[in-house]
Amino acid sequence: MARFIDRVVLHLQAGDGGHGCASVHREKFKPLGGPDGGNGGHGGDILLEVSTQIHTLMDFHYRPHIKSERGGNGAGDWRNGARGKDLILEVPAGTVVYTEDGEMLADLTVPGTRFVAAEGGFGGLGNAALASAARKAPGFALQGEPGEARDLILELKSMADVGLVGFPSAGKSSLISVLSAAKPKIGDYPFTTLQPNLGVVDMGHESFTMADVPGLIPGAAEGKGLGLDFLRHIERTAVLAHVVDTASIEPGRDPLSDIEALETELAKYQELLEQDTGLGDLRERPRVIILNKADIPEAEELAEFVKGDLEEKYGWPVFIISAVARKGLDPLKYKLMEMVNEHRKAQPKVAADKNHTIIQPKSVGKKKKGRFADFTVTPDPEVEGGFIVEGEKIDRWIRQTDFENDEAVGYLADRLAKAGVEEELHRQGAQEGCPVTIGDITFEYEPMAGGRATDVGRGQDGRLMSTERVSAAERKRASQARRGLVDEFDYGTDGEVTRESANRDRWQG
């Protein structure tokens, strides 16, 4: 029988972004073609998609390390790198995604819904995209950003209609085996069931699902026994069915005390839930009481004796059955079907998400009034007089910068100044030469005049600085010399030569 895995830890590595290309266009008869470096491709994302064909997290248990495709590098002639292929991982309905710290990121219940588990890195811009009026021929390109690396915890919470609740060896596995086609392990010792078993109860033209989960003991909410491994799977059930062993000979055990102990654990577990990810408060969930093992005469007698007291105390339907002898099962099935239908009618219908709605993680800061509002400047607690600049977009700029290229560093300085980082540092009293840390880089603070990196290279094409092409002024003087208007080698001191001045000089000569 296949293992039922309901909790895994994934180690995800999204694809890195491709590097931009620094290239100059070269073509015959087209000198000074300008920058033509293409952009790097975006790294592939890793997405989780809810699928009705998957019922366990077993595949991830054996393959927890997952990496998506890297983006292609840019190339000359304005060729952009290919985007890395997204990796889509199918998960069963009822999967809840948590961070390592226990923060819930997504509750995936609707088939087709997707969640971005790890974002691929941004591709670096090529020098063609970086060209501007002030930087006509950039001699650098931006590097690709590393893909997001993170560890996520996936927990599967069963989506059954009916959840069987009871002490170990109460007969839950036997009951689900006779009501459905499920074949759980059955034994005469406690904790026979170590993993949830799901079964479909067929009622002819209708059906409902039933979950047999590991047995519950007092203290399960604090982790005793199988603890939360049991309680996790009853959050989403529409109906809770207390399965009581009326043939138990353990001291202190009887149907009334068993149900009281079960209800106590359910109440404690509800208090542990940080937020409702199921169908409401567990304490308000519809319930039935199933007094099992009525095939034993003493047990049947005890069941008949306590049935009235249980109905009067709790007001829930009470059924006396024997799973082994298949006694009293039909009334129980029809009542459970009725309660499930009532719940289904009260719930809004949710169709499969054919458009594949994507649940995005928190977005990067947006522009506000011409400034980027996604960074903070705080004093460095470890370095006297130092400062730490933090921000998702600012950190991305650092990762994309080639610090071995002075021109690229100058471009970064321009971006930081435009974002208001230098202004904020100055406002907080940063002095020239004090250490400033951004991401993994620490540099000495140097205020820039006017808030711009004017003293850093602006990206001039060397051929423009050393060209041997004849200028327009030189072509004009050569034309005047050929027509005899001026002496080709006599530049004089009067400045530019005009037709009138040249004719006057010739007449006087």
Side-chain angles (χ1 to χ4, degrees):
M1 184 177 67
R3 295 182 61 187
F4 184 90
I5 304 297
D6 60 355
R7 188 180 189 276
V8 295
V9 179
L10 295 184
H11 309 283
L12 306 178
Q13 173 62 65
D16 297 339
H19 300 315
C21 176
S23 172
V24 176
H25 186 66
R26 292 174 174 84
E27 186 176 349
K28 191 176 182 181
F29 305 123
K30 289 187 178 181
L32 305 176
D36 68 346
N39 304 330
H42 195 293
D45 298 334
I46 300 179
L47 302 100
L48 305 179
E49 180 179 335
V50 181
S51 172
T52 57
Q53 304 301 316
I54 306 296
H55 305 287
T56 177
L57 302 175
M58 183 173 60
D59 290 345
F60 303 127
H61 175 75
Y62 294 108
R63 192 173 64 91
H65 297 272
I66 300 173
K67 185 175 182 179
S68 59
E69 190 177 58
R70 183 185 185 279
N73 294 332
D77 200 18
W78 298 281
R79 289 175 293 175
N80 297 329
R83 177 188 173 94
K85 186 177 180 180
D86 292 340
L87 184 59
I88 300 177
L89 308 176
E90 294 185 336
V91 297
T95 301
V96 184
V97 185
Y98 296 95
T99 64
E100 290 182 292
D101 300 329
E103 177 188 357
M104 192 185 77
L105 299 178
D107 185 7
L108 305 176
T109 58
V110 181
T113 302
R114 291 178 177 177
F115 169 72
V116 182
E119 286 189 291
F122 281 77
L125 296 178
N127 64 343
L130 296 172
S132 64
R135 187 179 286 105
K136 296 182 180 180
F140 70 99
L142 298 185
Q143 297 179 337
E145 181 188 13
E148 184 178 14
R150 67 190 311 186
D151 294 339
L152 294 179
I153 299 173
L154 303 187
E155 286 188 355
L156 176 59
K157 299 182 179 180
S158 301
M159 300 286 288
D161 296 312
V162 179
L164 301 181
V165 182
F167 276 68
S169 300
K172 301 184 298 299
S173 298
S174 299
L175 179 59
I176 196 174
S177 67
V178 298
L179 291 181
S180 71
K183 301 300 179 184
K185 182 178 180 180
I186 300 174
D188 59 352
Y189 52 88
F191 294 110
T192 307
T193 302
L194 298 178
Q195 60 190 28
N197 296 298
L198 299 179
V200 178
V201 181
D202 189 4
M203 302 290 292
H205 62 286
E206 292 181 304
S207 64
F208 63 89
T209 56
M210 178 179 288
D212 160 34
V213 293
L216 177 66
I217 64 174
E222 287 78 30
K224 293 183 180 180
L226 295 178
L228 302 181
D229 290 338
F230 157 80
L231 294 167
R232 181 188 312 135
H233 292 280
I234 63 173
E235 287 187 31
R236 301 182 189 277
T237 54
V239 180
L240 294 179
H242 286 297
V243 181
V244 181
D245 180 6
T246 56
S248 176
I249 59 176
E250 295 182 22
R253 289 280 304 277
D254 61 79
L256 283 171
S257 61
D258 282 3
I259 294 176
E260 289 177 357
L262 295 174
E263 287 296 317
T264 299
E265 293 306 314
L266 294 177
K268 290 180 180 179
Y269 182 62
Q270 179 64 41
E271 296 173 357
L272 294 177
L273 295 178
E274 295 182 357
Q275 54 186 349
D276 183 16
T277 59
L279 303 173
D281 196 323
L282 285 175
R283 291 164 292 196
E284 300 177 358
R285 202 72 50 85
R287 287 163 167 74
V288 299
I289 297 176
I290 303 173
L291 302 177
N292 192 21
K293 302 187 180 181
D295 55 300
I296 302 175
E298 294 82 359
E300 183 178 12
E301 183 180 349
L302 176 60
E304 294 288 355
F305 179 75
V306 300
K307 179 179 179 182
D309 294 338
L310 293 174
E311 290 175 337
E312 181 180 354
K313 180 176 181 179
Y314 294 105
W316 304 330
V318 179
F319 297 89
I320 300 176
I321 71 160
S322 172
V324 174
R326 299 177 182 255
K327 176 182 178 182
L329 298 181
D330 286 343
L332 173 62
K333 289 195 299 183
Y334 285 110
K335 184 59 178 179
L336 291 176
M337 188 75 256
E338 178 186 342
M339 298 175 71
V340 170
N341 283 335
E342 290 178 359
H343 166 75
R344 290 173 179 173
K345 292 178 182 179
Q347 299 298 315
K349 293 184 178 180
V350 180
D353 186 359
K354 297 182 180 180
N355 296 324
H356 297 298
T357 301
I358 296 179
I359 303 175
Q360 291 279 4
K362 63 178 182 179
S363 60
V364 179
K366 300 180 180 179
K367 274 190 175 183
K368 289 185 178 181
K369 298 181 180 180
R371 295 286 186 178
F372 288 95
D374 61 344
F375 72 90
T376 58
V377 177
T378 56
D380 193 332
E382 299 181 358
V383 180
E384 184 177 358
F387 291 88
I388 298 177
V389 181
E390 295 178 303
E392 193 168 354
K393 187 178 290 292
I394 301 296
D395 291 342
R396 177 180 299 159
W397 294 348
I398 293 292
R399 293 191 293 266
Q400 291 183 328
T401 299
D402 179 7
F403 286 92
E404 296 182 359
N405 187 309
D406 293 339
E407 192 177 343
V409 175
Y411 178 71
L412 172 64
D414 282 350
R415 300 179 86 177
L416 294 177
K418 183 178 180 181
V421 174
E422 182 177 350
E423 180 181 339
E424 182 64 20
L425 285 169
H426 177 73
R427 190 186 69 81
Q428 295 196 22
Q431 301 296 322
E432 183 175 358
C434 71
V436 176
T437 301
I438 305 178
D440 298 330
I441 301 297
T442 300
F443 58 91
E444 293 184 355
Y445 173 60
E446 296 181 5
M448 295 177 292
R452 298 285 293 174
T454 54
D455 57 336
V456 185
R458 307 303 296 176
Q460 297 293 339
D461 191 330
R463 296 175 301 168
L464 292 175
M465 309 301 295
S466 60
T467 179
E468 296 180 356
R469 297 182 65 189
V470 179
S471 66
E474 291 174 331
R475 291 198 301 271
K476 180 178 179 181
R477 182 171 180 82
S479 174
Q480 291 175 334
R482 287 195 301 271
R483 288 178 291 168
L485 299 178
V486 297
D487 185 347
E488 182 178 0
F489 303 101
D490 182 12
Y491 288 88
T493 58
D494 296 335
E496 184 179 358
V497 178
T498 63
R499 181 179 296 275
E500 290 76 11
S501 63
N503 289 333
R504 182 178 65 251
D505 295 340
R506 293 178 60 190
W507 178 257
Q508 292 177 354

